[in-house]
Amino acid sequence: MKILLFLLTALAATAAQAQVLGFGTAPQGSLGYNMGSAIAKVMAETENLQSRVQPYSGSSAILPLVNSGELDLSVCNVLEAQEAANGEGPYAGRKQPNLRVLAVIFPLYSSLFVKKDSPAKSIADLKGKRIPYGYSAQVTLQRVTDAILATGGLTGKDIIPVLVPNVIRGVDDFAEGKADAGFFALGAAKVLEVHRSTGGIRYLPVPDDASSVAAMQRIMPYAYVTEVKPTPATAGVEVPTKLMAYDYLAVVGAHVKDEDVYRIARALHGNKPKLVESLRAFGGFDPDNMNKPMPAPFHPGALKFYKEKGIGK
């Protein structure tokens, strides 16, 4: 009887250790995929929390799976979290009530970019130009594009839309000459690839005067404009350039155990150097700002960690 009890206990412990969390990300080559891979690596190395990184066509496909419990965690931008949690925009009529924020990761910097020798110098110069649009698998990105266009006094009606399912297809179309401008987050591996294959790209500056910022925030309330300086990791930015910024988040389902979420938060908070080693964009990660106010609720496991560390909203 004692032997049987021992075996059952051992099997239970092994099963618990073997639990693998499902980590949904954007397609390979995207910043979302690289971010998820970096987080998964730190989880495994520092907390022995195993996860399987599973790339999907985009967040519009992933967040409902996190909400339903088919996936456990993902990364997304603040606007996606807002829309999914509140049933807004592309999630109108299908609110995702089980989505929880785990941590604020770092700001994402973006704008539209053109070839280095393009005559376009501003967002306003893109009037009548071919621009990736639609983003059927990453629906929120059309709203991001609209917010950038708004800073130049433009709307979707002022451009020639090149309909694409996701950002990867969008920049591929740009590289193939099917679009006059491209859209992708600064610092992604795909941006460097396109920068090299096209002879160089240049991000267009986002104006930060009061009226332009107001137009942007009418579409994306959590967005702001900040200056980005050139570094080896910022292909497309050769001089200090003002870009649109908005936060990227790690999100989990409400079903994920408090203990697991606590340990993921602890892994992130204590291992910025390891994260930067995997992805330079984590240089903008602030461990003491992981739970600033967000439009969706935080997971109680994460809040427990932040309370213990004295990190308060």
Side-chain angles (χ1 to χ4, degrees), residues 192-246:
L192 180 59
E193 175 190 318
V194 173
H195 179 68
R196 289 171 173 168
S197 69
T198 61
I201 62 169
R202 173 169 41 85
Y203 276 89
L204 296 174
V206 174
D208 64 348
D209 59 280
S211 61
S212 295
V213 171
M216 175 184 72
Q217 291 182 337
R218 277 195 288 272
I219 299 170
M220 283 189 65
Y222 290 89
Y224 52 98
V225 178
T226 189
E227 186 174 84
V228 175
K229 292 180 171 54
T231 73
T234 54
V237 173
E238 294 187 351
V239 298
T241 304
K242 292 178 180 177
L243 302 178
M244 184 175 78
Y246 51 100

Side-chain angles (χ1 to χ4, degrees), residues 8 10 14 20 38 55 81 86 91 94-95 107 215 219 233 239 269 282-283 302 304 308 312:
L8 290 173
T14 301
V20 177
N86 299 332
Y91 294 95
R94 55 191 192 105
K95 184 177 179 178
I219 299 170
V239 298
H269 185 270
F282 273 101
K304 179 183 177 183
E308 288 182 7

Side-chain angles (χ1 to χ4, degrees), residues 11 14 47 49 58 76 83 98 145 150 168 173 175 189 196 204 216 237 255 257 269 278-279 287 290 301 307:
L11 286 171
T14 301
E47 294 288 340
L49 271 174
C76 67
E83 292 178 335
N98 298 319
T145 304
I168 299 294
D173 283 355
R196 289 171 173 168
L204 296 174
M216 175 184 72
V237 173
H255 67 279
K257 295 177 182 178
H269 185 270
S278 294
L279 181 63
M290 291 170 65
K307 183 178 181 179

Side-chain angles (χ1 to χ4, degrees), residues 299-311:
H299 193 286
L303 290 176
K304 179 183 177 183
F305 175 77
Y306 299 138
K307 183 178 181 179
E308 288 182 7
K309 296 296 292 186
I311 306 171

Side-chain angles (χ1 to χ4, degrees), residues 7 23 40 51 58 67 79 92 127 130 139 146 162 174 188 205 207 255 278 296 309 311:
L7 289 173
F23 200 144
S51 61
N67 178 74
L79 178 58
K127 185 173 183 178
R130 299 169 301 163
V139 182
D146 285 339
V162 178
F174 169 80
H255 67 279
S278 294
K309 296 296 292 186
I311 306 171

